[in-house]
Amino acid sequence: MKIAVIGAGAMGGSLAEGLLSGTLFAPADICVANPHTGKLAPLAARGARTTTDNRTAVVGADYVVIVVKPWLVEGVIAELKPVLDYSRQTVINMAAAIPSAQLLAWLERDGATPMFFQAIPNIAIAQRASMTFVATPNADQAHTDQVMDIFADLGKAMLVDEHLLSAGTAMAGCGIAYAMRYVRAASEGGVELGFKADEAKEIALQTMAGAVALLQATGCHPEAEIDRVTTPGGLTIRGLNAMEQAGFSNAVIQGLVCGKHK
């Protein structure tokens, strides 16, 4: 099984890194194309095949993943379309905010289109810890299962209706930055409380990891776990109330809403 990644920018490079650390593709079966060789060198050092020619990259690939800026997608498809084998190659688009109908129109060749997917991960895909949303307008169950397996090997994957992809971008694509902003704020608070900066960051990270582990293990609603650590008149409830007075929950909700493509 072979995969071609078209684009080695922040997301394309992260995808390639995750694939190289994953269990489904041998390094030699991963080909990454990018117009500039600087971003390809670290991937080549890990065993991936690299090229500056997009057409070369897709030859022999079972999966072709387009990971370029949205305004470049049409040109990349026009370049690849003559050499794609629609009878055996699956195309996956990871550029956000382009409807499948438009992408399939660009891919249409002699009345045919390839098996096609939209995938929206986040940059934690480099560490095989992404939350990835997948949608397809035309794939059968067997191909869908295969694509879901690829992204499940790179974190967690959720098959959704296409209209939810923009919401997924807000919650996980943008959301990972929001989570990092919380870590930064908590670290700064830790410094004010007397810890060194690196110590404060380590405390914030481990505390967040613990919260995630608890919620995943128990399946509880967050408020149920919050209730376990809030005692009447205690410090935790005082801190939570202070955060709410400053608009914490509303700020998170509004940030997610603003992050959704209109």
Side-chain angles (χ1 to χ4, degrees):
M1 191 163 65
K2 297 182 179 181
I3 190 166
V5 179
I6 309 301
M11 187 57 73
S14 294
L15 171 62
E17 289 178 27
L19 291 169
L20 285 163
S21 300
T23 66
L24 299 182
F25 296 91
D29 292 331
I30 301 166
C31 187
V32 186
N34 197 69
H36 308 295
T37 58
K39 293 181 178 179
L40 296 174
L43 303 173
R46 294 185 59 188
R49 294 185 298 116
T50 60
T51 178
T52 57
D53 187 328
N54 291 339
R55 290 190 178 198
T56 298
V58 306
V59 174
D62 299 290
Y63 301 94
V64 176
V65 190
I66 300 172
V67 203
V68 298
K69 299 297 184 184
W71 56 87
L72 297 176
V73 173
E74 183 178 8
V76 167
I77 288 176
E79 179 185 7
L80 295 179
K81 187 161 65 170
V83 297
L84 289 172
D85 183 349
Y86 288 3
S87 67
R88 58 170 298 275
Q89 291 181 309
T90 297
V91 176
I92 303 170
N93 171 62
M94 282 175 46
I98 307 176
S100 289
Q102 178 62 79
L103 290 158
L104 288 172
W106 289 337
L107 283 162
E108 190 274 330
R109 186 182 67 202
D110 299 328
T113 55
M115 206 72 72
F116 178 79
F117 291 83
Q118 300 259 45
I120 302 296
N122 62 34
I123 58 172
I125 202 166
Q127 304 301 320
R128 299 175 65 206
S130 177
M131 178 68 243
T132 302
F133 301 89
V134 180
T136 178
N138 67 356
D140 58 29
Q141 190 62 53
H143 284 82
T144 299
D145 290 344
Q146 291 164 8
V147 170
M148 293 299 290
D149 285 345
I150 292 172
F151 288 105
D153 193 52
L154 300 172
K156 290 187 178 293
M158 182 181 293
L159 187 66
V160 299
D161 291 335
E162 184 164 347
H163 77 275
L164 286 173
L165 289 178
S166 60
T169 299
M171 287 203 69
C174 302
I176 195 168
Y178 305 157
M180 290 177 181
R181 181 57 61 86
Y182 168 79
V183 171
R184 190 191 80 173
S187 299
E188 291 175 349
V191 172
E192 186 168 344
L193 291 171
F195 290 101
K196 294 179 180 179
D198 287 345
E199 293 172 339
K201 184 180 75 171
E202 183 178 353
I203 293 165
L205 288 172
Q206 183 57 37
T207 302
M208 179 177 284
V212 170
L214 275 171
L215 292 173
Q216 289 181 330
T218 65
C220 290
H221 190 283
E223 284 300 322
E225 294 296 337
I226 289 171
D227 287 345
R228 292 177 59 194
V229 295
T230 51
T231 56
L235 295 175
T236 304
I237 191 63
R238 286 167 58 190
L240 288 168
N241 286 340
M243 289 181 180
E244 289 306 319
Q245 288 170 9
F248 179 80
S249 292
N250 186 62
V252 172
I253 293 167
Q254 292 306 311
L256 291 170
V257 172
C258 288
K260 183 178 180 293
H261 294 293
K262 301 299 181 184

